[in-house]
Amino acid sequence: MSLAIMHNLEIKGLIFDLDGVIANTADLHYRAWCKIGDQWGFNLSSAQNEELRGISRKDSILKIANWAGKSFTNEELDAFAFEKNKNYLSYCQTLGTKDILPGVFDFINSSINKDLKLAVGSASKNAKIILQKLGILDLFSIIVDGNMVQNSKPDPEVFIKCAEILELEPKSCVVFEDSQAGIQAAINAGMFSVGVGQEDLESCNYKIKNFEGLSPKQLINQLSN
Ligand code: B16
Ligand code: MG
């Protein structure tokens, strides 16, 4: 029996978030945001940084300015966001295959071998650059990133767009996410969700520490429980 119809689940597509699922770029985002906070005399805590997972650059700067008690014009916020991105990209220079999170590469390859359709659905406008640096851009024919959507997670737009391009129904798709906003976006899209790496994620269908040792067959087994 094909994996797609095991246990009456019709899983045909896997949608991967990027930051925190494929690579741990959250630390690099944090460093870059801290540099902006420093200019304002504001210390961004790691707990606050956790709240920025999956949140767009613009929404992140709005949140940080709010936490810092600062009010800026739109132009000023854009300039800070631009500067943050310049610093973030400079920190990304050294990214390579070594930075792909444990088990991701093998899981992606096994999924391709099982004829599952794959996509990346990320809030990041840098998704293609990062995937190229990681050496896995070619594994994904479909990448929906922050340049292609109007609405940030938890809005389901990014994942709905992936499903449309994959030509799959939402109920046939599984989303891998490290952020609560992303899990909620998957739920809002009518898709299965797998929480990755974060113990406190709520409402996902299944949770994994990382992809090490996970096979597509085991995944579908778990989702059908
Ligand atoms: P950029 P994901 C998200 O990526 C990150 O989790 C979030 O921290 C970041 O602010 C957002 O992308 C925008 O990224 O500044 O590169 O456009 O987790 O949705 O892959
Ligand atoms: Mg993420």
Side-chain angles (χ1 to χ4, degrees), residues 41-52:
F42 172 68
N43 265 332
L44 180 70
S45 71
S46 57
Q48 285 167 326
N49 187 57
E50 287 304 306
E51 289 188 42
L52 302 177

Side-chain angles (χ1 to χ4, degrees), residues 102-195:
V104 170
F105 189 73
D106 285 347
F107 182 78
I108 289 173
N109 279 314
S110 319
S111 303
I112 293 171
N113 289 336
K114 296 283 179 203
D115 291 329
L116 290 159
K117 294 182 171 183
L118 308 190
V120 168
S122 167
S124 175
K125 294 186 171 177
N126 299 301
K128 285 188 184 156
I129 299 173
I130 305 297
L131 288 167
Q132 185 152 36
K133 290 212 161 292
L134 297 173
I136 52 173
L137 181 62
D138 295 346
L139 292 182
F140 298 98
S141 53
I142 288 150
I143 297 163
V144 178
D145 65 16
N147 299 295
M148 298 165 70
V149 293
Q150 301 298 319
N151 305 298
S152 287
K153 301 169 187 175
D155 189 283
E157 185 181 1
V158 64
F159 297 139
I160 295 281
K161 214 162 227 169
C162 285
E164 278 171 6
I165 305 173
L166 289 170
E167 297 184 336
L168 293 177
E169 287 185 73
K171 67 174 185 350
S172 302
C173 299
V174 180
V175 169
F176 297 93
E177 256 295 344
D178 69 311
S179 72
Q180 195 60 55
I183 297 289
Q184 195 52 50
I187 293 168
N188 293 342
M191 298 177 180
F192 289 97
S193 62
V194 177

Side-chain angles (χ1 to χ4, degrees), residues 16-23 25-26 29-30 33 49-61 81 84-85 88-89 92 120-127 130 144-147 153 158-159 176-179 182:
F16 296 81
D17 173 57
L18 173 58
D19 293 326
V21 168
I22 293 178
T25 43
H29 281 294
Y30 185 35
W33 282 129
N49 187 57
E50 287 304 306
E51 289 188 42
L52 302 177
R53 277 183 192 269
I55 305 293
S56 72
R57 197 181 311 162
K58 189 65 193 268
D59 289 349
S60 299
I61 190 113
K84 179 266 175 178
N85 195 49
Y88 171 67
L89 286 177
C92 288
V120 168
S122 167
S124 175
K125 294 186 171 177
N126 299 301
I130 305 297
V144 178
D145 65 16
N147 299 295
K153 301 169 187 175
V158 64
F159 297 139
F176 297 93
E177 256 295 344
D178 69 311
S179 72

Side-chain angles (χ1 to χ4, degrees), residues 4-32:
I5 53 167
M6 252 177 85
H7 305 286
N8 295 324
L9 281 188
E10 286 205 273
I11 303 300
K12 296 178 182 169
L14 305 179
I15 303 175
F16 296 81
D17 173 57
L18 173 58
D19 293 326
V21 168
I22 293 178
N24 184 15
T25 43
D27 291 349
L28 306 181
H29 281 294
Y30 185 35
R31 256 175 82 192

Side-chain angles (χ1 to χ4, degrees), residues 180 183-184 187 193 198-205 207:
Q180 195 60 55
I183 297 289
Q184 195 52 50
I187 293 168
S193 62
Q198 309 297 315
E199 277 177 19
D200 54 355
L201 289 173
E202 289 168 8
S203 309
C204 40
N205 298 100
K207 243 188 255 187

